[in-house]
Structure formats: C-alpha cells, structure tokens
Amino acid sequence: MDSPQPIPAIRLAVAVASDDAPPSALVVWRGFQASIEKARRLGYDGVELALRDAGEVDLVPLQRQLRDAGLSCPCISTGQVFACLGLYFTAAEPDKRRQVVRVFQGLIDLAAQLGAMVNIGRARGFIEPGEPPRDARHRFLDVAGELCEYARARAVRLLLEPVNRYEINFIHSLAEAAELLAEAGRPNLALMPDVFHMNIEDRAIGGELERFARHVAYVHLADSNRLAPGQGHLDFDEIFSALRRIGYNGWASVEILPKPDADTAARQAIEFLRPYLTGGNRETSE
Ligand code: LER
Ligand code: MN
C-alpha cells in the first residue's frame, strides 16, 4: 500500500501580473492566463496577483481558470498602486487619499470574490520631506482604519508589509509594523513579512518571525539578492525552522526577479522550497 502523502504545512504561490504591467512590477510572469498555466505545471498551489486596479481582472474567466487548474489566489499585492498610479495612504492632499481609498475598495471587493487577502506594501506611503513622522502615521492610520472597516464587512484581511529603507522611508521592520498594528487595533490587519526586507531591516529573521508570530498571516520569499530562494545567502533552514516553531500553516509566495529568465526562476524557487513546505529541511530530505 502507498504510504499517505504528507499534508503540506505551507502552501506556495508565485507573484504574477497583467500583460501590460510595467517593468517595475516585481513578478515572475506576466499575463494571467499563461501565468496560471505555468504555475500549475510547476506545482505551485496558487498565484498572487500584483494589481494596480481591480479592472485589470476579468473575474469570471479568472475564477474558472483557477478552479480548473486547482489553484487559489491567496493574495492581491498593490505595489503598482504606488508605482504606477502614484497613490498612497500618507498623501497630504485629501483628494489623493480619497483616490487611494477608492482603488483599494475595488481591490478588496475583488479579493472578497477570490477569497484573497490584500497587501499594503509601498502604497502605505512615506514621510514627506520636513514633516514630523507622526503626521504620516496619522494619515496612514486614518486610511488603514477606513479600509479595514470596509474589508471587515467583506471578510477580507489586509496585510501590512514592512519594506526596506532603500525603497521607502516609512515602516521598515516587523517591530515598527507591529507597533502600528497595535495602534490601529483592527483585528483584520495583519503582517506580511518579506524575508528579503527582513534581511536588511530586522534584528534577526527567525527570531523576529517568532516574536511577532501572532500577527503573521502571509510571507514573501526571495533570497538576499531577490533571486529565487537558494540563489543567494539567506538561511532558509533558519526561516522555515522558525515558521515551523510558530506553527505557521498559511501561504507563502515567491516574489523574485525573473532572472536568469522567468521560467527558470520559478522552477528554481519551487524545487528549492518544496522540501521545506512539507515540514522538512533540505538536509533531512536530501
Ligand atoms: C513588495 O511586495 C515588495 O516587497 C517591494 O520590495 C516591491 O518593491
Ligand atoms: Mn514583498
């Protein structure tokens, strides 16, 4: 008799975007249809959609294709709302804040249909030159609070992602993000640690994942150089040991540069990560 397959403790998605996403969109593949098919063939469990607007997606065909492929969409990421539309939570102009709220409401509606969470990455915004950081914090908390309320009514969680100082000047570490979570006091606002940023900003990766375990609801994976895990010098034994210790059984997604080319990067990532997902590490599985 065949021995039973272990139930994967962590499911793996890959970041993808629409055909016309700009080069700055940090995704592996472009074009939803082709990306879903490639993800399926390589054995990914889902796709993370990197969007600037809910209108980029044709919902019914997308849902059908995901269902047929046996894949999920666990998360919508929103870096392009900042990079392409120039919209962010801390904007000083009230009209810009109203615009970002409208765009995020559309993405939350879409997420509700897909059973996905919605990331707040660089769209959290930044501290304007010369202004006291508390002003940016207040504007961030106002917009985040309004969107959490909107998302709560639709059973959607929002995910605050700390991003390193070379990309934005506001919310770099898990500790800073956890402080804002406490201030926001919203049960549907959680943390999305990205180990690439943690490697730059956090005191330790495994230790901080454990310290803030109760907030961790999704994880971004990349190596130290933003290539596929295994192509740089991050210690994935440490990362996955920590995730196992905290009993993490949610989603992780690979958010990596499409280098040396997208297909190779996606294959390298899943081949390297597969042993970890079922609860082992590379040493014990090889
Ligand atoms: C977004 O998920 C992210 O990690 C950023 O580094 C993209 O610029
Ligand atoms: Mn990320």
Tab-separated table of all heavy atoms in Angstrom, residues 102 105 145 155 176:
chain	number	residue	atom	x	y	z
A	102	ARG	N	-10.540	54.617	-2.870
A	102	ARG	CA	-11.409	54.034	-3.912
A	102	ARG	C	-10.738	52.855	-4.607
A	102	ARG	O	-11.356	51.817	-4.839
A	102	ARG	CB	-11.798	55.106	-4.945
A	102	ARG	CG	-13.086	55.846	-4.560
A	102	ARG	CD	-13.704	56.546	-5.759
A	102	ARG	NE	-12.818	57.543	-6.355
A	102	ARG	CZ	-12.692	58.801	-5.900
A	102	ARG	NH1	-13.390	59.208	-4.865
A	102	ARG	NH2	-11.869	59.653	-6.495
A	105	GLN	N	-10.672	49.943	-2.271
A	105	GLN	CA	-12.007	49.336	-2.092
A	105	GLN	C	-12.306	48.388	-3.251
A	105	GLN	O	-12.845	47.296	-3.063
A	105	GLN	CB	-13.072	50.423	-1.973
A	105	GLN	CG	-13.039	51.113	-0.614
A	105	GLN	CD	-13.971	52.305	-0.515
A	105	GLN	OE1	-14.363	52.894	-1.519
A	105	GLN	NE2	-14.321	52.681	0.707
A	145	GLY	N	-7.491	52.489	8.743
A	145	GLY	CA	-8.684	52.214	9.555
A	145	GLY	C	-9.940	52.169	8.697
A	145	GLY	O	-10.775	51.261	8.838
A	155	ALA	N	-15.208	40.290	4.953
A	155	ALA	CA	-14.381	39.172	5.442
A	155	ALA	C	-13.017	39.103	4.766
A	155	ALA	O	-12.513	38.022	4.446
A	155	ALA	CB	-15.136	37.844	5.297
A	176	GLU	N	8.398	47.790	13.859
A	176	GLU	CA	7.688	49.046	13.551
A	176	GLU	C	6.269	48.772	13.089
A	176	GLU	O	5.321	49.464	13.466
A	176	GLU	CB	8.421	49.811	12.446
A	176	GLU	CG	9.703	50.470	12.868
A	176	GLU	CD	10.399	51.083	11.656
A	176	GLU	OE1	9.908	52.074	11.099
A	176	GLU	OE2	11.443	50.529	11.246
